[in-house]
Amino acid sequence: MSALEAIYNFLPLSDSIATAGQPTEAQFSAVKAAGYEVIVNLALPESTNALPHEQAIVESQGLKYVHIPVVWESPTMEDFQRFVTVLDTHSDQKVFVHCAANMRVSAFIYLYRRLKGIPADTAQQDLQQIWTPNETWQAFIEEVEGKLLP
């Protein structure tokens, strides 16, 4: 198992995007060694296993850090739109997106990929490798799809 594969719920989606649950401080070195340049964190500072100084840890390795804290019980359209902006802004870089367990991330990535024209069944398979969204998250997915997808 590679150092990246040891990260909880690690899931590479393309040559430029990978998702996971919360990496440890040491695992961020493996993320950098794999060529990732931007870290996006969707977890809250008080989420399970959150690193208290994650931004400093990431930036000390020369990586860009973006924190979009998404409340588990109430994801918002604004959260998702900020996420889309960040991924679009860094589309020419390798981006590593994580939260506590890769559940917030997998839902956001599913929606992002759908917005970019990835077929629903392909995006759905990757989402369901991590989890089947609960009622709150399924409603959020449907809301975003209804507003943003043709």
Side-chain angles (χ1 to χ4, degrees):
M1 175 184 307
S2 77
L4 286 179
E5 291 168 338
I7 300 172
Y8 184 72
N9 273 346
F10 174 73
L11 183 64
L13 296 172
S14 70
D15 290 341
S16 61
I17 294 180
T19 66
Q22 178 67 55
T24 64
E25 185 170 349
Q27 287 170 331
F28 276 116
S29 296
V31 171
K32 178 183 170 103
Y36 290 92
E37 302 162 277
V38 180
I39 307 297
V40 180
N41 177 7
L42 300 186
L44 300 178
E46 60 273 10
S47 291
T48 305
N49 301 324
L51 296 176
H53 306 289
E54 181 171 326
Q55 182 170 354
I57 292 164
V58 167
E59 289 177 348
S60 74
Q61 296 186 36
L63 302 172
K64 178 165 178 61
Y65 180 79
V66 180
H67 189 201
I68 306 171
V70 177
V71 176
W72 174 251
E73 297 83 10
S74 59
T76 68
M77 183 66 78
E78 293 76 23
D79 293 334
F80 179 67
Q81 288 171 327
R82 184 165 172 223
F83 179 75
V84 169
T85 299
V86 168
L87 288 191
D88 285 351
T89 300
H90 299 286
S91 62
D92 60 339
Q93 295 174 288
K94 284 186 78 168
V95 180
F96 184 90
V97 189
H98 82 85
C99 58
N102 199 0
M103 291 161 65
R104 291 174 182 89
V105 171
S106 62
F108 271 42
I109 285 285
Y110 165 81
L111 289 166
Y112 180 78
R113 293 173 81 205
R114 293 285 297 120
L115 195 59
K116 299 302 176 183
I118 300 290
D121 56 342
T122 302
Q124 188 81 27
Q125 283 178 340
D126 292 326
L127 170 63
Q128 291 184 338
Q129 280 190 60
I130 303 300
W131 72 312
T132 300
N134 65 21
E135 190 175 309
T136 298
W137 281 87
Q138 189 58 45
F140 175 71
I141 287 169
E142 290 169 10
E143 174 192 355
V144 173
E145 286 178 325
K147 289 181 180 174
L148 300 181
L149 296 180

